Amino acid sequence: MNDQSQSAQPIGEPVDSAPAGRPGPITLTGRFGRLEKLAPKHAADLWDALKGHDRVWTYMPSYGPFPDATTFAQWIAQRAALDDPYSYAIVGPGSRAVGIIALMAIRPEHRVVEVGNVVYAPAIQRTPLATEAQYLLARCVFETLRYRRYEWKCDALNAASRRAALRYGFAFEGIFRQHMIGRGRNRDTAWYAMLDGEWPARKAAFERWLAPENFTADGGQKVSLRAMMDHPQ
């Protein structure tokens, strides 16, 4: 129930207004791989994993695909130096970097942050590592950095990203029409979010899905993550 101001107007309930933490160079380790601060050393692995796969860059508003390894390495060095977005490399088997994920639009004073700039090499798309990367970062956002709102935004035409947002437990909040211009084209943006009060149930679903007993001997899933998110235990 909302409180009322001295003039009898409804106002929001009091919240802990201590700022959330800012992302830092931590390593988040799971069963299938890990996240670590993006660095120039990851460029060669990422180029090997991403070169020739131009489709992964289609919905990025201002960068990619890259013409050669040198240009790509320069871009990685530039991204690694930024505080916002704050980028992590997704490191898989053999300690090779196979993707990028970032925290961005970082607003510690409001305890709001966005996950974005997600680039998965085809080799990890639709794999447990891709899902585990999202789980590890969300857990850090809510439990270590203490954010209360975790956002996911994507081009409204990006059907794969919109499906992923729901699969990972984000709630659809609406379409911001003519929100951006990217590469000289209009972008309507679909907004999704997860709140700190929703995280315990989302966390439980992630962990149930990632558990060894949810996979068959050949690596297939027994129960989908979307089903677990929609029907938490």
Side-chain angles (χ1 to χ4, degrees):
M1 173 182 257
N2 288 335
D3 294 333
Q4 289 191 336
S5 68
Q6 291 182 349
S7 57
Q9 294 170 295
I11 56 177
E13 69 272 13
V15 298
D16 179 359
S17 58
R22 295 196 67 88
I26 57 176
T27 298
L28 305 173
T29 302
R31 189 161 68 93
F32 299 97
R34 67 181 186 271
L35 302 185
E36 60 188 38
K37 177 72 174 72
L38 182 67
K41 67 179 182 180
H42 297 117
D45 284 348
L46 289 168
W47 175 250
D48 287 343
L50 294 166
K51 66 182 177 183
H53 301 291
D54 291 357
R55 288 174 60 89
V56 303
W57 306 103
T58 298
Y59 293 106
M60 296 300 174
S62 61
Y63 51 82
F66 299 89
D68 52 54
T70 298
T71 305
F72 180 74
Q74 291 170 347
W75 178 76
I76 289 293
Q78 293 167 356
R79 300 297 287 188
L82 296 176
D83 291 329
D84 189 354
Y86 195 95
S87 300
Y88 295 90
I90 302 170
V91 180
S95 292
R96 296 181 65 85
V98 288
I100 304 170
I101 191 169
L103 294 176
M104 55 194 291
I106 303 165
R107 292 178 284 163
E109 69 278 14
H110 296 294
R111 292 170 56 200
V112 177
V113 70
E114 176 185 346
V115 58
N117 295 170
V118 179
V119 181
Y120 287 158
I124 65 163
Q125 292 175 9
R126 304 178 68 84
T127 69
L129 175 57
T131 297
E132 184 179 63
Q134 294 288 341
Y135 160 72
L136 291 171
L137 195 56
R139 187 179 66 183
C140 178
V141 162
F142 286 117
E143 298 182 10
T144 302
L145 302 179
R146 298 183 61 254
Y147 284 86
R148 61 194 298 262
R149 176 178 168 87
Y150 192 36
E151 297 178 333
W152 176 295
K153 307 186 188 85
C154 62
D155 191 313
L157 298 176
N158 189 346
S161 184
R162 297 186 66 174
R163 287 193 301 269
L166 295 174
R167 179 175 177 268
Y168 295 140
F170 292 81
F172 176 62
E173 295 185 331
I175 302 290
F176 278 45
R177 299 175 298 164
Q178 296 186 186
H179 178 234
M180 297 174 62
I181 297 174
R183 305 176 192 264
R185 295 180 180 273
N186 175 67
R187 171 171 142 165
D188 295 345
T189 299
W191 286 53
Y192 299 79
M194 187 188 305
L195 305 182
D196 54 352
E198 298 164 344
W199 171 241
R202 303 292 187 262
K203 176 183 181 181
F206 270 120
E207 292 181 349
R208 286 169 53 213
W209 189 85
L210 290 165
E213 54 267 27
N214 188 48
F215 294 92
T216 61
D218 61 358
Q221 65 178 1
K222 295 179 181 178
V223 181
S224 73
L225 180 60
R226 180 67 189 272
M228 291 181 179
M229 290 291 181
D230 289 344
H231 303 286
Q233 289 186 347

